[in-house]
Amino acid sequence: MSKPLKVALLGCGVVGSQVVRLLTEQADDLAARVGAPLELAGVAVRRMGRKRDVPVPDELLTTDAHALVTRDDVDIVVEVIGGIEPARALILAAMAGGKSVVSANKALLAEDGATLHAANRADLYFEAAVAGAIPLIRPLRESMAGDRVHRVLGIVNGTTNYILDKMDSTGASFADALEEAQSLGYAEADPTADVEGFDAAAKAAILAGIAFHTRVTAADVHREGITEISASDVASAKAMGYVIKLLAICARSEDGRSVGVRVHPAMIPRSHPLAGVREAYNAVFVEAESAGRLMFYGAGAGGAPTASAVLGDLVAVGRNRLAGTRGPSESVYADLAVHPVGETVTRYHVSLDVADKPGVLATVADVFSRHDVSIQTVRQEGRGDDAQLVLVTHRASDAALSATVEDLRDLDIVRAVAGVMRVEGDETP
Ligand code: HSE
């Protein structure tokens, strides 16, 4: 057994406290797996004297994170504080001292991963940054390094999945479902990062970058949240055999020369495996040329599940340090263009409040036809002043569909464009 590897932990909240617990409870197993004990050298916290989920010996706690990460005896820094600063400065200071870094920080990796990768002199592992306990980074970086990924599609935010699942199963409004998610601790007091899709967009950027060997940042991701989804959108989807999910979709274009990365609510058929992902669970499909379609499913958030991913990374970087080697570094050689959302091709569900009189359907159909958007199904709900036309299109570009909707809004016979939503997952799973 080699001498202990010293671990500095930045942050002791929901995830950090579980990292402390596992390092303590599983110390013997971890030492045997790494080949050296993993010894906690210190835990940087914002405030001393706070009650913690897991007791941490006072002598390990410090509010001076910079002094901790630059200590000569520290080998590995685990960052679970989140946010851009001071996390970035602390990680860069650790890297300058040759430490290995394990991070769960999706926002930082998606905004400025390039700076971290460039500064890295040992290992930078971040399995916990995307979908909590679910192994996705390592399978994409390592297991699938010999394959050609075409698409990554999935549910990568548990909070929004919980809210949409409640809306679907109980008919609740967005506001009521959000309140329930907050009271159960699934959603934060300020839910913006989750419900506006920022969290999922950061994860999509990280996944796309690895899957397509291309640098993708959060700013490259087309993002729409779920705050505008109404109980009637959910009911209308249900009536047609669909369920609404917030999806992250990273896809190679048909000519293979660019990628599209987007996060938005979409209708998927109830028969699709992602429709069965309930409550706060996450699930991701990876579609690759030789592997075919793979599905990853599990707990995408929470202290212990996320700590499981952190511990897996700790073992990996510990082994690498002992062997005097490094894990895979950033791979961006393909350098594909990230195309704008207008070039995305998919199907759409469009509901229109219309006058119920002869010629209305023909006029509406003519607008679709002028933009070369082909209609697959159409049905009418209600009558008289309450009529609604619900159309589902064949695959069309986002730009063509947007132009269609703009022209529909100008028609006298269309009182309102009540809803436009993408339809995904209709291809046989
Ligand atoms: N808030 C995230 C979620 C977990 O709801 O999935 C951390 O990324």
Side-chain angles (χ1 to χ4, degrees):
M1 184 77 60
S2 303
K3 72 178 176 48
L5 291 166
K6 299 252 184 152
V7 178
L9 176 64
L10 306 180
C12 198
V14 177
V15 178
S17 57
Q18 292 303 312
V19 171
V20 172
R21 180 179 68 78
L22 292 172
L23 277 174
T24 312
E25 287 179 8
Q26 300 183 9
D28 292 345
D29 284 327
L30 292 168
R33 291 172 196 172
V34 174
L38 293 177
E39 194 179 292
L40 206 49
V43 181
V45 293
R46 233 178 330 192
R47 279 193 301 276
M48 305 291 275
R50 201 162 157 189
K51 189 164 168 359
R52 303 187 193 283
D53 297 348
V54 172
V56 182
D58 278 350
E59 63 274 19
L60 289 182
L61 290 171
T62 175
T63 53
D64 191 345
H66 188 266
L68 177 62
V69 301
T70 50
R71 251 169 63 175
D72 284 345
D73 63 333
V74 164
D75 300 288
I76 304 169
V77 172
V78 175
E79 183 269 308
V80 287
I81 50 181
I84 306 301
E85 292 294 355
R88 174 170 46 198
L90 292 169
I91 290 176
L92 292 175
M95 287 173 164
K99 325 287 189 206
S100 305
V101 173
V102 174
S103 172
N105 194 332
K106 72 220 75 168
L108 176 56
L109 283 153
E111 182 174 307
D112 198 16
T115 299
L116 302 187
H117 286 292
N120 179 25
R121 290 166 48 196
D123 269 334
L124 172 60
Y125 274 55
F126 47 93
E127 186 64 67
V130 180
I134 308 172
L136 269 173
I137 305 297
R138 196 169 281 110
L140 282 170
R141 266 214 304 195
E142 299 183 36
S143 320
M144 303 189 73
D147 210 332
R148 182 178 166 84
V149 175
H150 292 304
R151 189 162 78 139
V152 178
L153 167 134
I155 295 165
V156 292
N157 182 269
T159 306
T160 46
N161 201 54
Y162 184 88
I163 292 169
L164 292 172
D165 185 42
K166 281 296 141 195
M167 291 175 74
D168 183 68
S169 57
T170 67
S173 66
F174 168 76
D176 288 346
L178 170 61
E179 202 177 303
E180 185 185 327
Q182 283 171 320
S183 72
L184 293 171
Y186 287 120
E188 303 200 17
D190 176 359
T192 312
D194 292 316
V195 299
E196 295 291 2
F198 290 102
D199 175 84
K203 292 165 177 168
I206 294 170
L207 291 176
I210 298 171
F212 302 119
H213 302 272
T214 286
R215 186 159 293 141
V216 179
T217 69
D220 294 322
V221 182
H222 173 80
R223 176 191 54 77
E224 296 168 32
I226 64 163
T227 53
E228 303 293 318
I229 307 282
S230 66
S232 91
D233 292 331
V234 173
S236 168
K238 209 167 185 171
M240 294 177 57
Y242 289 94
V243 59
I244 299 175
K245 295 288 190 188
L246 182 71
L247 297 183
I249 303 174
C250 320
R252 210 183 269 277
S253 60
E254 270 164 31
D255 65 10
R257 287 214 285 265
S258 64
V259 293
V261 191
R262 53 198 165 104
V263 166
H264 54 70
M267 292 187 185
I268 55 171
R270 283 190 179 263
S271 56
H272 193 282
L274 287 178
V277 177
R278 306 283 311 270
E279 305 210 314
Y281 283 93
N282 286 190
V284 176
F285 275 102
V286 178
E287 297 165 8
E289 197 153 305
S290 305
R293 188 171 274 158
L294 308 173
M295 184 175 181
F296 299 81
Y297 171 86
T306 308
S308 162
V310 170
L311 265 288
D313 281 355
L314 258 175
V315 169
V317 305
R319 287 173 176 158
N320 288 346
R321 281 192 91 86
L322 290 190
T325 182
R326 294 173 60 173
S329 44
E330 189 187 31
S331 170
V332 289
Y333 74 91
D335 198 20
L336 299 175
V338 181
H339 60 242
V341 72
E343 289 178 28
T344 299
V345 175
T346 189
R347 297 170 59 227
Y348 292 85
H349 174 278
V350 181
S351 355
L352 307 171
D353 292 339
V354 293
D356 186 8
K357 57 184 191 196
V360 168
L361 181 56
T363 309
V364 165
D366 180 56
V367 174
F368 279 82
S369 149
R370 272 194 272 127
H371 292 284
D372 209 19
V373 178
S374 172
I375 297 166
Q376 186 192 18
T377 63
V378 59
R379 82 194 149 89
Q380 179 175 332
E381 283 172 8
R383 38 193 321 183
D385 285 343
D386 255 346
Q388 193 164 60
L389 277 184
V390 180
L391 303 104
V392 179
T393 73
H394 285 294
R395 281 162 61 78
S397 76
D398 206 272
L401 198 282
S402 299
T404 306
V405 169
E406 239 168 75
D407 285 0
L408 288 169
R409 283 206 171 99
D410 288 342
L411 293 178
D412 290 341
I413 50 149
V414 172
R415 286 199 311 276
V417 178
V420 179
M421 196 172 297
R422 296 176 183 86
V423 179
E424 300 284 347
D426 261 4
E427 64 284 2
T428 320

